[in-house]
Amino acid sequence: MKAQNAERRTNAGRFLAISYLLLAIGLVSAQSAADITKQVQANLEKSPWEANIVGKLQLPDGSSQEADFQIKVLPGKDQLARVEFKKPASLEGNFVLISDKEVWNYLFLTNQLIITPRAKAKVEGLGVNLTALGDFEELTKKMDVKVLGEEKTDEGPAWKLVGSAKDTSVGFDKMEMLVLKADPRPVQVRVKDKDGKLLAELNFRSFKRVSLTAKMLKKYPADAEVVRK
């Protein structure tokens, strides 16, 4: 009798464990694209951060070039994001500063700082406009985004989000994004045109929290020509 009772308790414990596991899986699978995007936004707004980004980019002539640049982000009320280019070679030495109101494009070869209102800005020298990627919550408002399962990455399991642009203001037609589950942030972003041609593939590497100020991110050569458009 004691042995039977013990076995029953063991089976009951197993049943409860399996039930909790299934419940947990159900909760995870119930995550919507909006839920995940909010987690990403909240995580990236905790403190300043930087990451190296490598991959491929389309240039204005339609060619695909190797990409290598660093992104630095200061979150908060006056959010700033600075992108410093190493590759492609045509953009080496350039940087882009994105705020909620305007975009600065610094062109190394001409030593010019071109300032454009955010609404009509683009990154000079690229064949695809990536400024929309600076605000993931706003991005999901401009796209129909869905969760398409999970994928394994070098940093761990990630949600796979796919989206289609609602209008042309986004700068591309289709998007695929891998979001790390353990630390909600993008580890890969791929954007395509309406025909499915790859415009950019960006892989986030060496993500870390850092100390940044607006003054640091806005720094540019004192002798640069400032042009407002």
Side-chain angles (χ1 to χ4, degrees):
M1 181 64 74
K2 290 182 178 179
Q4 289 179 340
N5 289 337
E7 184 177 356
R8 287 171 183 166
R9 286 194 296 271
T10 301
N11 289 337
R14 289 172 179 167
F15 175 76
L16 285 173
I18 292 173
S19 297
Y20 285 132
L21 178 60
L22 291 174
L23 176 61
I25 292 173
L27 289 173
V28 169
S29 63
Q31 291 271 13
S32 70
D35 292 334
I36 295 170
T37 302
K38 287 178 181 178
Q39 291 179 44
V40 171
Q41 197 75 12
N43 187 31
L44 296 183
E45 288 181 351
K46 285 181 180 178
S47 61
W49 59 272
E50 69 178 28
N52 292 325
I53 299 180
V54 296
K56 297 179 180 179
L57 285 172
Q58 179 177 288
L59 299 187
D61 63 5
S63 65
S64 178
Q65 297 285 330
E66 184 179 352
D68 185 351
F69 52 91
Q70 186 177 52
I71 182 170
K72 301 178 181 180
V73 177
L74 179 66
K77 182 180 178 181
D78 301 315
Q79 180 169 310
L80 294 173
R82 179 176 174 126
V83 178
E84 299 175 350
F85 290 94
K86 297 178 182 177
K87 294 180 181 180
S90 59
L91 298 181
E92 184 178 4
N94 291 9
F95 77 79
V96 176
L97 183 73
I98 303 171
S99 72
D100 62 336
K101 295 181 180 179
E102 56 191 20
V103 172
W104 295 8
N105 280 279
Y106 173 71
L107 309 180
F108 175 76
L109 289 179
T110 59
N111 196 27
Q112 289 180 311
L113 183 70
I114 300 175
I115 301 177
T116 313
R118 172 73 180 267
K120 61 178 183 179
K122 65 177 183 178
V123 180
E124 297 289 338
L126 291 185
V128 55
N129 190 356
L130 300 178
T131 57
L133 295 177
D135 188 331
F136 295 103
E137 191 170 6
E138 181 66 21
L139 183 62
T140 54
K141 295 177 183 177
K142 296 182 177 181
M143 303 193 77
D144 290 316
V145 184
K146 299 178 181 179
V147 184
L148 193 65
E150 298 179 13
E151 285 193 14
K152 292 182 179 179
T153 73
D154 292 341
E155 297 190 60
W159 286 295
K160 182 175 182 178
L161 305 183
V162 295
S164 298
K166 296 178 182 178
D167 56 60
T168 58
S169 66
V170 178
F172 44 83
D173 293 273
K174 302 180 187 300
M175 177 192 72
E176 298 174 4
M177 182 186 296
L178 296 181
V179 174
L180 195 63
K181 294 178 66 176
D183 182 18
R185 55 182 170 81
V187 290
Q188 184 186 76
V189 177
R190 305 175 84 233
V191 296
K192 303 177 180 180
D193 65 13
K194 61 182 180 180
D195 298 319
K197 181 181 178 181
L198 185 67
L199 301 177
E201 179 179 301
L202 308 174
N203 300 290
F204 291 67
R205 301 282 187 264
S206 305
F207 177 93
K208 61 182 178 181
R209 305 286 178 175
V210 293
S211 178
L212 294 173
T213 65
K215 184 177 181 179
M216 292 167 61
L217 295 186
K218 290 181 175 181
K219 186 176 180 180
Y220 64 90
D223 62 345
E225 178 189 5
V226 178
V227 179
R228 288 190 175 271
K229 291 187 175 182

